[in-house]
Amino acid sequence: MKQNIIPTKARKVRKAVIPAAGLGTRFLPATKAIAKEMLPIVDKPTIQFIVEEALKSGIEDILIVTGKAKRPIEDHFDSNIELEQNLLEKGKTELLKLVEETTDINLHFIRQSHPKGLGHAVLQAKAFVGNEPFVVMLGDDLMNITGNETPLTKDLINDYEKTHASTIAVMKVPHDDVDKYGVIDPNGEVSKGLYNVERFVEKPNVDEAPSDLAIIGRYLLTPEIFDVLETQVPGAGNEIQLTDAIERLNKTQRVFAHEFTGKRYDVGDKLGFVETTIEYGLEHPQIGANLKNYIIEKAKELSQDDSKNITKK
Ligand code: G1P
């Protein structure tokens, strides 16, 4: 029996938590000494896209949960007086603006000393969040980075303002990929693209997955999630899973799923990272046109190679 334990008066969503304590093993050796969140898409570290999405969504305070080799993240969002002075003296005002854009943000850092899983990382935010709804934004998923669409985080906040309930972003993925994600068992739509959820399952087997709707790294959560996380036992991969805690939260209060239909970039995957770089590069004012020409030429060359191979056969 679900109880509605959310106070009827909606609380403003002001805080975001960005877990960034992972070891980034998929990107070794690049991530031996620097955080994977600092790997750039052309000229912008991936974590900056996340921070920008948070700010565009009206978030006022951001907590980054960091681990080893994460100091560069703190430095990136700090002022660098020497660099700023140098750019100022050389009259490089555009670059100065870019550098300064990343400094005046209410950012907080906490270290997760033992990487015990995403749920454990989010639990580190308990004191920062207090008794407020908040968002969790995963650094491996970038959304709509080349367009001007409403950020997905803002969509979740808009949902919360109507329902006062936790809402998890999901997206249809190819069926064979469902075992890489948290997956929902939807139980009817309450409005277009907003689902009631019967069950949340972390990394199900492909043949047992309840749907192809996968969790994609944006969560709006009520603070009651912390009580659940405190008693959460390890699940898939022997890690404390956020999805498992959400499944338990959904037993005591409603948790919805919001279907995202925009463009998602998986920068936690090598191929996804390269694709993101190309797509962002194509829109980049300095290199877009030349990159496009390069890709056209390269595609011709590759198709000639292919036709040669076919003739040989
Ligand atoms: C995490 C979550 C998973 C979610 C995914 C989205 O998994 O545990 O539920 O679907 O992020 O990117 P990870 O990619 O850390 O294995």
Side-chain angles (χ1 to χ4, degrees), residues 118 138 141 181-182 202-203 215 217 219 241 243 264:
L118 179 58
L138 304 191
D141 297 292
Y181 298 94
E202 180 67 11
K203 311 224 163 75
I215 298 174
Y219 308 74
Q241 295 290 353
T243 306
R264 165 179 175 257

Side-chain angles (χ1 to χ4, degrees), residues 29 48-49 52 58 65 67 85 161 255-256 294:
Q48 193 177 329
F49 288 94
E52 287 175 1
V65 184
Q85 193 61 35
E161 283 168 359
V255 180
F256 294 110
Y294 168 78

Side-chain angles (χ1 to χ4, degrees), residues 26 36 117-119 138-141 143 168-169 178-183 201-203 213-219 239-244 246 264 266 268:
R26 271 187 262 178
K36 71 169 173 180
L118 179 58
L138 304 191
D140 283 348
D141 297 292
M143 315 294 173
I168 316 302
V178 287
D179 57 353
K180 296 187 195 139
Y181 298 94
V183 174
V201 199
E202 180 67 11
K203 311 224 163 75
L213 286 169
I215 298 174
I216 51 159
R218 297 293 182 276
Y219 308 74
E239 293 189 342
I240 297 178
Q241 295 290 353
L242 183 58
T243 306
D244 294 346
I246 293 169
R264 165 179 175 257
D266 181 3

